[in-house]
Amino acid sequence: MSRLGSVQRKVPCLFVTQVKEEPSAKRERQPFKVLATETINRKALDADIYNAVPTEKVDGTCCYVTTYKGQPYLWARLDRKPNKLSEKRFKRFMYSVEDSKEFIWNIEEDFRPVPECWIPAKEIQQSSGNPLPDENGHIPGWVPVEKNSKQYCWHSSVVNYEAEIALILKCHADDPGLLEISSVPLSDLLEQTLELIGTNINANPYGLGSKKHPVHLLVPHGAFEIKNPPMLKHSDILSWFESCREGKIEGIVWHCNDGHLIKLHRHHLGGGHKGSLCTTNCKIGGPHFCVNKRTEVYSFGM
């Protein structure tokens, strides 16, 4: 496997899941939880999960690097969602007890408009050249992050289009027990997906930067391999999340040899969130990047 898989569609859970009617610990105002059973998902078995590479699931927002205006560009995730009337109709169908085979969408009329530069995500199903919604009624897609974008200002803070570089957090080249921030050519990241993390992303679970000195970084998907993963059993993984130092993370993503991804969020097992990167104890504050008591001043050169 020359490159770990990219996130272009909804990633299936390692275990078969079930819905429990009680408030979610992950999402506010969600009146139900999605919990894992002890049965391994057929999709995971078909992808040869037992020979997959386990990596840390990083808690950020998904991004993608592909060409735009003739050069490598960072793209932000933007799912095309149904309008209010279509969403109500879809929810009625989802909660209906009638044995109906499928929900029929009108792609042109049922969905909210998206920017002209929007592109659908790869690997999603299509019909007559039109991308089809997933099981949640969304069409996953991407929009380019323009240099002076207000909506995606934190995305744009990690790229320099003039220099064609991006700010990446990864394992240190000489010591995998450390993390390093590097300026990487965008061309080296083409067709990869990454996670944007930082001060103003997802309530900043890793405690990066501050309001006065915000810090944002890109983490390539699959960047942090889990060296001592648990056995693929419900009880072993739950114990690993709760008791193992390496398990103090949001979840696991397995990168399979055929390119498929399989995930397990700690919330699937009823656990709370842990906001640390498994590779090391790292802290970023102000303009300094501190790793294992070593402090470096960095500048992106914007």
Side-chain angles (χ1 to χ4, degrees):
M1 187 166 52
S2 60
R3 177 183 286 183
L4 297 179
S6 63
V7 180
Q8 292 282 348
R9 58 181 174 180
K10 186 175 176 61
V11 178
C13 181
L14 171 67
F15 296 109
V16 175
T17 57
Q18 62 183 7
V19 177
K20 189 171 183 180
E21 297 297 333
E22 60 180 65
S24 170
K26 182 182 178 183
R27 293 185 174 89
E28 292 185 13
R29 296 186 294 276
Q30 180 174 292
F32 61 89
K33 289 181 177 179
V34 179
L35 298 176
T37 66
E38 296 186 7
T39 303
I40 293 184
N41 193 329
R42 182 75 247 175
K43 292 181 179 179
L45 295 173
D46 290 343
D48 193 19
I49 186 68
Y50 288 99
N51 290 303
V53 178
T55 68
E56 176 176 353
K57 185 181 187 301
V58 177
D59 189 0
T61 183
C62 194
C63 303
Y64 175 45
V65 176
T66 192
T67 54
Y68 179 63
K69 296 181 178 179
Q71 71 175 88
Y73 246 71
L74 183 69
W75 295 61
R77 181 69 176 267
L78 179 66
D79 288 2
R80 191 176 183 189
K81 299 179 181 180
N83 55 43
K84 289 185 178 180
L85 289 177
S86 300
E87 186 174 22
K88 288 181 180 179
R89 186 165 58 91
F90 180 65
K91 286 184 176 180
R92 284 198 301 269
F93 167 81
M94 293 294 291
Y95 295 120
S96 173
V97 296
E98 297 178 6
D99 187 19
S100 180
K101 291 185 178 180
E102 63 177 332
F103 184 83
I104 306 300
W105 291 101
N106 184 320
I107 303 300
E108 297 298 325
E109 297 180 3
D110 290 344
F111 286 85
R112 299 175 187 176
V114 287
E116 186 176 344
C117 54
W118 179 88
I119 60 172
K122 292 184 175 181
E123 302 176 11
I124 63 174
Q125 291 185 324
Q126 296 202 11
S127 176
S128 301
N130 292 317
L132 296 177
D134 60 20
E135 62 267 34
N136 297 315
H138 297 176
I139 305 176
W142 309 99
V143 289
V145 175
E146 298 284 5
K147 179 180 178 180
N148 298 315
S149 170
K150 292 183 178 179
Q151 183 177 1
Y152 299 109
C153 59
W154 308 121
H155 291 70
S156 64
S157 71
V158 298
V159 290
N160 183 323
Y161 291 130
E162 285 74 23
E164 296 191 2
I165 56 177
L167 203 58
I168 302 295
L169 180 67
K170 61 180 182 177
C171 292
H172 193 279
D174 299 322
D175 186 346
L178 300 178
L179 300 179
E180 66 175 351
I181 297 174
S182 299
S183 296
V184 175
L186 279 165
S187 58
D188 289 354
L189 304 172
L190 276 171
E191 304 311 314
Q192 289 194 49
T193 55
L194 312 94
E195 206 76 7
L196 176 67
I197 62 173
T199 309
N200 297 287
I201 306 297
N202 283 8
N204 194 17
Y206 304 116
L208 304 182
S210 64
K211 185 176 182 180
K212 186 176 181 180
H213 297 289
V215 173
H216 297 89
L217 305 163
L218 290 169
V219 181
H221 285 138
F224 303 140
E225 183 177 344
I226 297 172
K227 300 300 183 181
N228 299 295
M231 298 290 290
L232 299 183
K233 292 176 59 178
H234 189 286
S235 57
D236 288 351
I237 298 177
L238 178 59
S239 177
W240 185 81
F241 275 134
E242 292 181 342
S243 306
C244 178
R245 176 182 176 274
E246 201 174 14
K248 309 303 181 185
I249 57 176
E250 187 196 24
I252 304 174
V253 177
W254 287 267
H255 291 252
C256 302
N257 288 316
D258 63 358
H260 283 88
L261 303 179
I262 304 295
K263 73 178 180 181
L264 182 68
H265 197 292
R266 66 185 306 114
H267 284 290
H268 287 137
L269 303 181
H273 177 73
K274 300 291 181 181
S276 64
L277 294 167
C278 73
T279 308
T280 186
N281 292 323
C282 64
K283 178 181 179 181
I284 298 179
H288 301 288
F289 176 43
C290 312
V291 180
N292 288 1
K293 299 182 180 179
R294 186 180 73 182
T295 303
E296 299 173 356
V297 180
Y298 69 88
S299 173
F300 191 41
M302 298 290 274

